[in-house]
Amino acid sequence: MPDNHQPDRGLHLERSGNILIVILDNPPVNALGLRVRRGLLAALRQAQSEEQIHALLLLGSGKNFAAGADIREFNQPRQPPLLREVCDQIETCTKPVIAAIAGNALGGGLEVAMAAHYRLAVKGSRLGLPEVNLGLLPGAGGSQRSVRLIGAEAALDLMLSGRPLSAEQALELGMVDRLGLDARVDGLVYAHELLADRCGVRRSSELTTRLADSAAQQAAIDAARTKLPTQFRGLFSPALIIDCVAAACEQPFAAGCQFEAAQFQRCLASPQHRALLYAFQAERAAAKLPDTTGLAIAAFSQAGVIGGGTMGAGIAVVMLEADLQVTLLERDEQSLAAGLSRVEEFYRQRVSKKRLSATAAAARLAKLRGTTEYRDLATADLVVEAVYEDLAAKQAVFRQLDSHCKPGAILASNTSYLDIAAIAAVTNRPQAVIGLHFFSPAPVMRLLEIVVPPQAAAEVIASAVVLARRLGKVPVRTGICDGFIGNRIMSVYRRAAEAMLEDGASPYQIDTAVREFGFAMGPFQILDVAGGDIAWATRKRRAAQRDPQERYVQIADRLCEQGWFGQKSGRGWYRYEPGSNHGVQDPAVLEIVARERERAGVTPRPFSAEEIVRRYLAAMINEGANLLAEGIALRPLDVDVVLLAGYGFPRYRGGPLYYADKIGLARVLDDITTFAAEDPQFWRPSPLLIRLVEQGQTFASLNAE
Ligand code: CAA
């Protein structure tokens, strides 16, 4: 029993003989908010003042040691004691402080552990400094202590990648002193051993071994600086992280900390930090649907996947990674063998790249089986269909699923644009049918659109959201329309890009401008990666419904007619050497563009990079507003998360609607109105955008509703 339960402190204290156990207890993730920081200082004071206490053991309750600073406090004035002070007090404590880590020790959580005198990590725990993902750097001495503990190279990797270390890696690097199986039990054993051996305190700030080889430290810093422009293009905090590491190597600890504090403050005040924090919170909010509380959530242990093509095999991998038993169904033995070998190839690659051990890969594959019989899906809790995009083919699959799957199973289609309601309608259980729209490559892409037809049961939707989190995906609910949220917006900004192309901008200029804004790739590069034939098929499909007033730019069709589909055919908007994914500009493409401009009677005009980006984003923002007005997207943050997690929108700009708020909706509307003079059919300002401007409101105000 705790002898000093203090829920108001976000921690509680226990005693085991002469050891004071401090258990961080601030659900859900033991963030180090004000009351925890105060509680920690009080515990340290108690330990110092009570003679019977000889050592402190720091533990976390639940699944986390501590997930760092409380991010909800970032929008408020900072209140003392700051975490920096708490860490300094831990380190200067005259009685040994031992941190025993189970679960996540992230950001400030790891900084607390690094300030302790000894560290133990339980197998399965994760130790990281992910502040860079929030546009920050460690602000409580972490950049200085980490360099002294594990050297500049490893510390830079930890802080610049944001990737956590496993307990084993942490031991190997010297971040922790030993591994354990149970934080409390092994932590106490360790503490007693240290006391018995009269080890005393060992302060990370006073460690000098790692710094001794100054040439090695400098080489690591130089290497990181060289990578800055390519690896961290556009980002603010990485350069400051490197500066902090340099300070750690060159300056005394106190001066280094002072320098770090100043850089942390700069990050905290930066627009990038605010945008990245918004992105973090928006992703979590997107997974919370307003109408799902209190519903019975399905438990998933067995999944079926229909279709073993690239998408189906990728989805099977995603399911295996989440420890589900997977049955892959194909229409015949040959296709099945091909599908299964795609999954096996994925794991072969992971093993050969040393991302997974051969034993772990074998364990995953042991959970996979193949079949050509629908009856083998009778016990599946969930089935995802990923056959080719044809309504009749999908309906045939769903008829089979309806007659073979157990009651309560969730039946999902991975369609990118077909009407899920029309697929559900062929079953006797339309309430169990939804869309799960994965993005390619499924094991890599984080976005999962949960497509909700009107008949879908609330339990089914809620269960799909929980499943998505288990699969490690970012779920976003979308209603039904052609393309759902993501592809519908993409088709509009792509049209804006094509119009600029015909009017005078080169595809290379457009790609460069869009990349310089921060997108991972430009629209023409993406077309080459995805395959120009796919977008061509979509254009042909839509041709019949196309408004005759709509401006239709035919340049992409001319490329496709030559068989130039992009990377897979060695030629598209760019040219590719055999076996290379690196595209080079192609004068033949520019010739086609010039001919098509002539044919369309367009006199090319120059475009600046700024104008390109303005048009590209205005198209995106306007369509996002349309989706909100139609109720396809529930909240502006849903649109932002789709573009961030699935379409390479620069995370440090928060998403298109967040960005629109920042530049001002009036400016966006002004742009659209100006562009409308040349093409009123395409540039129709969204009524929602007009209303927000008239009322002086922002998209953010709709998130809050
Ligand atoms: N502060 C406050 N709340 C936090 C939090 C934090 N640091 N980290 C997570 N949460 C909240 C989430 O917002 C979420 O809240 P809701 O339930 O209201 O949505 C809840 O905790 C659970 O989080 P997840 O859904 O993300 O849970 P998970 O189990 O999937 O992941 C996690 C847990 C790995 C800890 C993940 O939440 C995470 O990565 N958190 C951020 C960690 C981080 O970036 N820490 C650095 C903070 S900056 C810092 O520490 C600077 C410094 O040096 C002073």
Side-chain angles (χ1 to χ4, degrees):
M1 275 296 286
D3 69 332
N4 191 358
H5 185 64
Q6 293 159 319
D8 57 320
R9 290 186 178 181
L11 53 78
H12 60 263
L13 305 179
E14 295 179 25
R15 286 285 261 278
S16 172
N18 53 7
I19 294 171
L20 179 67
I21 309 177
V22 181
I23 305 169
L24 302 172
D25 189 6
N26 185 25
V29 292
N30 296 335
L32 300 161
L34 180 61
R35 63 197 185 118
V36 180
R37 299 197 299 274
R38 284 186 178 148
L40 274 167
L41 283 193
L44 284 163
R45 272 196 302 273
Q46 184 180 342
Q48 288 286 28
S49 62
E50 282 187 35
E51 248 176 57
Q52 311 88 301
I53 298 175
H54 293 181
L56 265 102
L57 176 63
L58 294 179
L59 300 173
S61 66
K63 286 194 292 182
N64 296 284
F65 176 76
D70 190 329
I71 55 177
R72 289 163 306 185
E73 289 181 1
F74 286 154
N75 293 329
Q76 303 159 11
R78 300 173 79 197
Q79 285 201 60
L82 302 183
L83 194 59
R84 160 179 309 283
E85 189 185 334
V86 175
C87 287
D88 288 346
Q89 296 271 340
I90 291 173
E91 204 185 56
T92 48
C93 181
T94 53
K95 299 176 182 179
V97 182
I98 300 104
I101 298 164
N104 294 304
L106 300 177
L110 184 56
E111 291 186 280
V112 163
M114 286 193 289
H117 305 129
Y118 301 94
R119 281 159 296 281
L120 172 148
V122 164
K123 289 183 182 185
S125 49
R126 302 182 331 140
L127 296 83
L129 294 173
E131 287 88 344
V132 69
N133 298 330
L134 297 175
L136 296 173
L137 46 84
S143 68
Q144 307 302 299
R145 289 193 179 91
S146 62
V147 173
R148 285 167 171 80
L149 280 163
I150 61 176
E153 190 182 352
L156 280 164
D157 190 43
L158 195 62
M159 288 184 273
L160 291 174
S161 75
R163 260 192 321 271
L165 301 169
S166 66
E168 291 78 4
Q169 289 167 325
L171 179 71
E172 202 180 312
L173 288 172
M175 175 62 87
V176 300
D177 304 293
R178 64 163 72 176
L179 299 185
L181 293 174
D182 181 284
R184 186 192 181 93
V185 174
D186 295 319
L188 279 173
V189 170
Y190 190 22
H192 282 297
E193 276 177 35
L194 290 164
L195 289 178
D197 294 346
R198 299 186 183 285
C199 287
V201 300
R202 182 196 58 182
R203 300 194 168 103
S204 305
S205 63
E206 291 168 2
L207 300 174
T208 52
T209 333
R210 298 283 184 184
L211 300 180
D213 186 353
S214 58
Q217 313 307 313
Q218 192 56 48
I221 293 165
D222 292 344
R225 280 203 216 284
T226 317
K227 285 193 217 142
L228 258 182
T230 46
Q231 230 174 330
F232 303 101
R233 192 167 44 95
L235 285 171
F236 179 67
S237 75
L240 303 190
I241 289 175
I242 302 175
D243 291 346
C244 286
V245 170
C249 296
E250 290 156 12
Q251 299 182 28
F253 181 76
C257 280
Q258 222 176 352
F259 181 77
E260 180 201 78
Q263 307 319 310
F264 183 78
Q265 240 357 87
R266 287 175 70 194
C267 292
L268 207 55
S270 72
Q272 288 199 0
H273 161 61
R274 281 191 291 277
L276 286 162
L277 184 60
Y278 165 80
F280 178 88
Q281 290 171 327
E283 281 184 358
R284 277 144 190 87
K288 288 200 180 79
L289 300 180
D291 48 0
T292 56
T293 29
L295 297 172
I297 304 297
F300 298 99
S301 65
Q302 294 186 38
V305 178
I306 317 287
T310 309
M311 200 35 137
I315 294 170
V317 166
V318 172
M319 304 281 180
L320 290 170
E321 289 296 297
D323 203 27
L324 291 165
Q325 189 86 42
V326 178
T327 304
L328 182 68
L329 183 141
E330 260 292 2
R331 60 191 156 189
D332 55 47
E333 290 297 340
Q334 202 187 348
S335 314
L336 180 60
L340 291 173
S341 75
R342 279 190 190 99
V343 179
E344 285 154 10
E345 178 56 23
F346 173 86
Y347 282 108
R348 250 194 306 280
Q349 295 267 346
R350 293 213 48 201
V351 173
S352 80
K353 287 183 186 159
K354 301 210 176 338
R355 301 249 167 87
L356 197 67
S357 72
T359 329
R364 309 276 213 285
L365 284 168
K367 293 198 140 201
L368 172 71
R369 62 181 183 144
T371 185
T372 55
E373 302 289 343
Y374 277 91
R375 62 169 180 264
D376 289 335
L377 299 177
T379 53
D381 306 302
L382 160 86
V383 181
V384 182
E385 162 280 311
V387 305
Y388 54 97
E389 290 285 76
D390 176 80
L391 183 61
K394 290 191 188 273
Q395 286 173 328
V397 168
F398 275 77
R399 281 193 195 93
Q400 290 283 352
L401 293 177
D402 192 25
S403 61
H404 287 94
C405 291
K406 69 181 184 188
I410 294 179
L411 309 182
S413 170
N414 179 53
T415 180
S416 322
Y417 59 82
L418 292 172
D419 182 354
I420 311 273
I423 297 174
V426 303
T427 70
N428 292 311
R429 44 173 127 176
Q431 75 286 352
V433 178
I434 52 161
L436 288 181
H437 184 210
F438 289 84
F439 288 73
S440 191
V444 177
M445 297 297 289
R446 297 164 60 238
L447 178 63
L448 181 61
E449 282 183 327
I450 299 193
V451 190
V452 177
Q455 312 88 325
E459 278 86 359
V460 170
I461 305 165
S463 300
V465 171
V466 172
L467 172 78
R469 296 293 309 267
R470 176 164 166 198
L471 299 179
K473 301 294 175 200
V474 178
V476 177
R477 176 221 177 268
T478 160
I480 295 184
C481 67
D482 193 338
F484 314 131
I485 297 177
N487 282 346
R488 186 165 133 188
I489 294 182
M490 182 178 71
S491 75
V492 174
Y493 63 75
R494 225 177 228 176
R495 278 175 57 201
E498 282 168 355
M500 288 190 272
L501 176 68
E502 194 172 64
D503 286 341
S506 93
Y508 313 120
Q509 198 194 351
I510 295 173
D511 279 352
T512 306
V514 164
R515 268 200 320 271
E516 272 170 8
F517 177 78
F519 277 90
M521 282 194 270
F524 298 100
Q525 277 181 299
I526 295 175
L527 277 166
D528 271 6
V529 174
D533 49 334
I534 308 216
W536 196 24
T538 308
R539 290 197 297 276
K540 287 186 201 159
R541 175 173 58 83
R542 289 192 182 138
Q545 301 113 42
R546 194 171 298 131
D547 179 345
Q549 303 296 310
E550 179 183 316
R551 175 177 181 183
Y552 182 73
V553 176
Q554 298 182 27
I555 303 172
D557 294 352
R558 296 294 95 79
L559 263 61
C560 290
E561 284 155 12
Q562 312 262 354
W564 296 356
F565 296 141
Q567 283 184 1
K568 61 182 167 192
S569 55
R571 231 173 150 164
W573 294 97
Y574 294 80
R575 245 176 195 282
Y576 302 86
E577 288 304 317
S580 164
N581 287 341
H582 177 71
V584 291
Q585 300 189 7
D586 186 349
V589 167
L590 297 179
E591 275 170 32
I592 294 179
V593 172
R595 265 203 308 278
E596 284 299 303
R597 283 179 190 147
E598 221 174 287
R599 198 190 49 74
V602 174
T603 310
R605 68 169 180 90
F607 278 82
S608 68
E610 197 219 338
E611 181 178 358
I612 291 171
V613 168
R614 266 175 111 122
R615 285 174 177 260
Y616 201 67
L617 290 173
M620 205 176 280
I621 294 161
N622 199 46
E623 198 59 9
N626 284 332
L627 284 160
L628 284 169
E630 292 166 32
I632 306 287
L634 282 185
R635 300 153 293 195
L637 65 87
D638 293 303
V639 173
D640 284 336
V641 171
V642 165
L643 270 291
L644 289 171
Y647 293 81
F649 194 97
R651 204 172 161 82
Y652 61 83
R653 294 192 193 269
L657 302 187
Y658 176 91
Y659 177 77
D661 278 350
K662 296 296 157 210
I663 58 172
L665 298 191
R667 190 192 113 172
V668 178
L669 182 58
D670 221 39
D671 277 353
I672 295 172
T673 317
T674 311
F675 306 151
E678 73 205 36
D679 184 354
Q681 202 279 343
F682 180 73
W683 292 107
R684 268 184 295 208
S686 160
L688 174 63
L689 186 59
I690 295 172
R691 175 168 75 75
L692 291 175
V693 172
E694 279 170 1
Q695 296 176 346
Q697 284 192 328
T698 57
F699 284 116
S701 66
L702 304 178
N703 279 330
E705 269 175 15

